[in-house]
């Protein structure tokens, strides 16, 4: 078995795909549309974004609406990566469990993700 895709629920697949494309430089899948968009990695893995009506964003670290999963990205400089991602539209929760090793951010749809010092 080989992992081929990770898909996130969201209210606007094209907007969320655009955020992650700008953040990672991954290529958009040519068949992306308003209901499902994807980015493809060189190794064949794709990150998908599917429209969900009445989407409820995770409330991290509160578990009222649990995160269920999150993505981790390795970066060279935490401060630089955080600043760039905030300019792209990421959010920064107040709760930062180990800010010297990683930063917890949220994408524009509210999914938590981490940037980790590489």
């Amino acid at each position: 078995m080989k992992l081929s895709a990770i898909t996130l629920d969201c209210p606007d697949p094209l907007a969320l795909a655009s955020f992650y494309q700008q953040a990672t430089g991954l290529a958009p899948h040519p068949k992306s549309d308003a209901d499902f968009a994807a980015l493809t990695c060189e190794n064949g893995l794709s990150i998908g974004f599917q429209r969900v009506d009445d989407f409820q964003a995770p409330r991290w670290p509160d578990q009222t609406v649990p995160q269920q999963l999150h993505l981790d990205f390795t970066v060279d400089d935490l401060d630089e990566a955080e600043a760039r991602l905030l300019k792209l539209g990421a959010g920064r929760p107040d709760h930062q469990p180990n800010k010297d090793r990683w930063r917890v951010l949220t994408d524009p749809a509210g999914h938590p993700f981490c940037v980790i010092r590489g």
Side-chain angles (χ1 to χ4, degrees):
M1 208 164 52
K2 178 183 175 186
L3 180 64
S4 59
I6 297 166
T7 301
L8 301 173
D9 293 348
C10 64
D12 186 341
L14 291 173
L16 198 54
S18 177
F19 168 79
Y20 280 105
Q21 179 188 11
Q22 291 176 67
T24 64
L26 295 174
H29 190 281
K31 293 186 179 180
S32 293
D33 62 31
D35 289 319
F36 184 85
L39 302 175
T40 56
C41 303
E42 292 176 7
N43 65 1
L45 181 68
S46 68
I47 302 172
F49 310 94
Q50 67 184 4
R51 177 179 301 284
V52 172
D53 293 331
D54 300 322
F55 172 77
Q56 292 185 30
R59 296 181 178 268
W60 188 87
D62 177 12
Q63 293 298 301
T64 306
V65 180
Q67 65 180 335
Q68 299 181 11
L69 75 95
H70 73 267
L71 302 173
D72 291 340
F73 298 93
T74 303
V75 298
D76 292 327
D77 184 302
L78 286 174
D79 293 331
E80 181 181 298
E82 179 182 357
R84 187 173 71 83
L85 291 163
L86 291 173
K87 285 182 184 176
L88 292 175
R92 185 180 191 278
D94 291 334
H95 181 66
Q96 295 292 319
N98 194 340
K99 66 180 183 174
D100 294 332
R101 292 187 55 208
W102 66 79
R103 306 285 165 79
V104 179
L105 301 174
T106 55
D107 68 26
H111 303 103
F113 68 95
C114 294
V115 288
I116 301 167
R117 185 187 327 253

